Amino acid sequence: MGSLVLIVLVFVLNSFVMFINGGITSKYVRRLEGTLDMPLDSDVFHIPPGYNAPQQVHITQGDVEGKAVIVSWVTQEATGSNTVLYWKENSSKKLKAHGKSKTYKFFNYTSGHIHHCPIRKLEYDTKYYYVVGVGQTERKFWFFTPPEVGPDVPYTFGLIGDLGQTFDSNITLTHYEKNPTKGQTVLYLGDLSYADTYPYHDNTRWDTWGRFVERSTAYQPWIWTTGNHELDFAPKIGETKPFKPFTRRYRTPYRSSGSTETFWYSIKRGPAYIIVLASYSAYGKYTPQYTWLEEEFPKVNRTETPWLIVLMHSPWYNSYDYHYMEGETMRVMYEPWFVKYKVDVVFAGHVHAYERSERVSNIEYNVVNGICSPVKDLSAPVYITIGDGGNLEGLATNMTEPQPKYSAFREASFGHAIFSIKNKTHAHYGWHRNQDGYAVKGDTMWFCNRFWHPIDDSTSSDS
Ligand SMILES: *[C@@H]1O[C@H](CO)[C@@H](O)[C@H](O)[C@H]1NC(C)=O
Ligand SMILES: *[C@@H]1O[C@H](CO)[C@@H](O)[C@H](O)[C@H]1NC(C)=O
Ligand SMILES: *[C@@H]1O[C@H](CO)[C@@H](O)[C@H](O)[C@H]1NC(C)=O
Ligand SMILES: *[C@@H]1O[C@H](CO)[C@@H](O)[C@H](O)[C@H]1NC(C)=O
Ligand SMILES: *[C@@H]1O[C@H](CO)[C@@H](O)[C@H](O)[C@H]1NC(C)=O
Ligand SMILES: *[C@@H]1O[C@H](CO)[C@@H](O)[C@H](O)[C@H]1NC(C)=O
Ligand SMILES: [Fe+2]
């Protein structure tokens, strides 16, 4: 253990850190009182002015390759236009795409008109402007398409999970926006609005969440993972169709990757192949998700997309008391594939704290051999829990002691992370805490690609 590393870490964290079994548990303790949701009249929930003005505007990738975008928005007073007007920067040629809109009911709530409009055949690496609310109150936004899928294009992802809509959530989003390492796309780890924590799952809190995050979601795609707070399963008030508000409001390009449900799918974006898994849909053997994933992994061509990233809500490696072992059944089903296909990194949310694992696997156990502890495995991914977006449930602070060997770093603070792919061998990763300045990283790691450069890149063994 290099003392230099220790000194640098202590300096960076500006807090007392302790090594147990090689891992680090930061002793930073933030105030523990639960944080409140921002009140309905907060500036971030402001309804855009004008008759039937589009609100809650958000975009996501619309195909596998990154040449399509799905634009979604809500109009409250009337259906309004389904058209998206769009054009390339500096081009006078305006194009039109047409979508569809629907309303839904949840107990005694009726939604506005929720519009979804795919735009296809976009050019790579290009800035586009777009307008929604055509013919009424028009609102204009812009986005950048990703570079062409391929190994030698740098690309930077932001990571946010369990955001909710508290004052802390607003600080997390602000830190993400002001981070000097600009994220180009958000990989969102599930649990969006936390509307289900309100009586009757008051769906107006889905609307406020949509308005709150619009300042980012309208301008860069957020890639959606579903969490338990998207279930909205409430049989006592007659709401028995799981995921109803989420599926009506948020789209994913699941069909393009051969998936049969919106909750699991994959996309390519620049140098990355991203597989999104569903912790709350069936994943056992013979289920649709299982058979899809079994066929999905062999399709990944690391010459084309060197970086293989998996997103899920419930983490497999988690040493907090909260949600302990909840990811275990999925881990048992899928972990051998993750090792075989050399997944680089797995991002999860759910636990309201931060944790990064060593490269470990736990795939030898066969019920009788007793080999049931995680072991160091250079073919295994690093597991990162980033459920620290700042929702009203507060932080998970209790951890299992001593810190398990698989846990490289853990801290109960709110924040977000950045995964910045440099080329086919290297990616730089940083975790940013809300209590620090925008550029400060509370935890960092240089990732070496598992397919092209599978050296030991763990932070505790390099000195
Ligand atoms: C668009 O025009 C601006 C201002 O003239 C220029 O800076 C920019 O490079 C142009 N963009 C493209 C894609 O041509
Ligand atoms: C829905 O029902 C609850 C409980 O009766 C009530 O408090 C709430 O105001 C109602 N909301 C609407 C939109 O009617
Ligand atoms: C949320 O953050 C933004 C940007 O920092 C700020 O302008 C706004 O006042 C904040 N709103 C609340 C309710 O905290
Ligand atoms: C993998 O991708 C590379 C680069 O796009 C391509 O040349 C090669 O044919 C692909 N391999 C397979 C098996 O499809
Ligand atoms: C956390 O640990 C403390 C001390 O062991 C205990 O009193 C408390 O109930 C624990 N909280 C949770 C949520 O497990
Ligand atoms: C890839 O990026 C890393 C980090 O920036 C750099 O050290 C390395 O030389 C790069 N590799 C190539 C082949 O450019
Ligand atoms: Fe969760």
Side-chain angles (χ1 to χ4, degrees):
M1 194 59 60
S3 55
L4 183 64
V5 173
L6 177 61
I7 290 161
V8 167
L9 274 167
V10 170
F11 178 75
V12 167
L13 293 171
N14 193 22
S15 62
F16 179 58
V17 293
M18 199 163 73
F19 284 83
I20 305 166
N21 293 335
I24 299 168
T25 298
S26 167
K27 286 296 168 192
Y28 175 85
V29 178
R30 76 183 293 286
R31 64 187 165 80
L32 286 180
E33 63 268 30
T35 59
L36 294 174
D37 271 358
M38 294 180 280
L40 290 173
D41 60 358
S42 299
D43 51 1
V44 291
F45 300 148
H46 172 73
I47 294 172
Y51 173 71
N52 208 30
Q55 51 166 286
Q56 306 174 48
V57 180
H58 54 96
I59 61 171
T60 196
Q61 185 160 322
D63 64 353
V64 169
E65 311 277 330
K67 289 166 99 169
V69 161
I70 304 167
V71 180
S72 305
W73 70 98
V74 178
T75 50
Q76 205 58 49
E77 288 95 334
T79 309
S81 170
N82 284 326
T83 302
V84 176
L85 204 59
Y86 65 100
W87 62 95
K88 278 194 332 192
E89 180 180 30
N90 299 351
S91 164
S92 54
K93 195 176 165 206
K94 298 215 159 100
L95 301 162
K96 280 181 182 173
H98 304 284
K100 287 185 177 148
S101 78
K102 268 191 175 168
T103 62
Y104 76 91
K105 286 186 194 300
F106 191 94
F107 186 50
N108 62 358
Y109 166 93
T110 305
S111 76
H113 302 269
I114 302 172
H115 300 251
H116 301 287
C117 179
I119 311 180
R120 300 184 199 288
K121 295 186 184 152
L122 296 167
E123 286 172 36
Y124 284 125
D125 228 347
T126 302
K127 184 174 188 178
Y128 283 89
Y129 288 91
Y130 69 100
V131 165
V132 287
V134 175
Q136 284 176 337
T137 303
E138 300 192 344
R139 294 184 67 206
K140 182 174 145 188
F141 306 89
W142 48 261
F143 60 79
F144 285 93
T145 52
E148 184 169 1
V149 174
D152 297 315
V153 284
Y155 202 76
T156 299
F157 293 100
L159 295 141
I160 301 176
D162 304 72
L163 186 60
Q165 44 192 304
T166 70
F167 292 96
D168 286 315
S169 320
N170 195 33
I171 296 170
T172 303
L173 187 57
T174 303
H175 274 239
Y176 173 62
E177 293 169 303
K178 301 223 166 134
N179 191 324
T181 310
K182 291 289 169 213
Q184 296 166 281
T185 291
V186 169
L187 305 179
Y188 192 80
L189 286 321
D191 283 359
L192 283 60
S193 72
Y194 290 74
D196 61 346
T197 60
Y198 284 81
Y200 313 100
H201 296 223
D202 184 359
N203 275 220
T204 55
R205 280 286 175 175
W206 273 105
D207 293 313
T208 53
W209 195 80
R211 294 199 292 270
F212 158 48
V213 295
E214 183 192 86
R215 66 190 208 230
S216 176
T217 58
Y219 297 94
Q220 57 173 250
W222 284 37
I223 305 304
W224 302 109
T225 309
T226 28
N228 50 305
H229 287 281
E230 277 69 72
L231 275 159
D232 280 305
F233 177 66
K236 282 183 188 146
I237 53 171
E239 291 298 343
T240 54
K241 191 170 165 28
F243 304 111
K244 194 207 263 179
F246 174 78
T247 50
R248 301 303 165 90
R249 289 164 184 275
Y250 294 90
R251 283 284 185 267
T252 73
Y254 68 98
R255 282 196 194 90
S256 359
S257 57
S259 162
T260 46
E261 296 275 0
T262 195
F263 315 111
W264 64 87
Y265 61 99
S266 60
I267 58 166
K268 301 174 191 175
R269 201 160 177 91
Y273 199 101
I274 297 160
I275 296 181
V276 180
L277 294 182
S279 300
Y280 305 95
S281 302
Y283 47 75
K285 200 160 183 179
Y286 316 121
T287 62
Q289 182 168 200
Y290 182 102
T291 47
W292 174 82
L293 185 60
E294 186 175 35
E295 287 168 22
E296 192 63 13
F297 271 124
K299 286 186 199 159
V300 183
N301 177 347
R302 301 296 274 271
T303 302
E304 185 191 37
T305 50
W307 293 91
L308 178 52
I309 299 171
V310 178
L311 315 181
M312 61 181 66
H313 185 62
S314 188
W316 293 356
Y317 287 93
N318 159 36
S319 72
Y320 287 83
D321 288 353
Y322 304 77
H323 306 306
Y324 189 58
M325 302 258 284
E326 279 181 25
E328 191 65 3
T329 49
M330 187 193 257
R331 184 190 68 73
V332 169
M333 297 305 303
Y334 294 163
E335 192 179 20
W337 291 340
F338 281 43
V339 175
K340 176 175 176 196
Y341 294 103
K342 301 187 187 324
V343 172
D344 290 294
V345 59
V346 175
F347 294 106
H350 200 37
V351 178
H352 301 158
Y354 174 73
E355 184 163 27
R356 174 172 58 82
S357 81
E358 301 288 358
R359 291 196 183 276
V360 289
S361 68
N362 189 5
I363 54 181
E364 296 305 321
Y365 187 48
N366 65 6
V367 180
V368 291
N369 66 9
I371 306 172
C372 57
S373 297
V375 292
K376 186 172 176 121
D377 187 339
L378 291 185
S379 293
V382 169
Y383 294 87
I384 290 173
T385 303
I386 181 112
D388 56 350
N391 66 75
L392 78 177
E393 293 177 346
L395 280 166
T397 47
N398 286 12
M399 309 173 187
T400 58
E401 300 292 356
Q403 183 169 14
K405 278 200 175 76
Y406 63 75
S407 172
F409 183 97
R410 55 186 191 175
E411 181 180 325
S413 285
F414 293 133
H416 74 276
I418 295 278
F419 191 78
S420 190
I421 296 170
K422 305 293 181 192
N423 52 37
K424 74 175 184 181
T425 54
H426 286 78
H428 191 256
Y429 167 80
W431 175 55
H432 293 258
R433 312 182 310 169
N434 288 0
Q435 64 266 29
D436 296 328
Y438 298 126
V440 178
K441 298 178 182 84
D443 180 40
T444 61
M445 174 171 167
W446 270 105
F447 275 76
C448 295
N449 187 278
R450 284 306 93 185
F451 187 87
W452 294 104
H453 194 46
I455 62 158
D456 187 349
D457 54 4
S458 67
T459 48
S460 57
S461 59
D462 58 0
S463 48

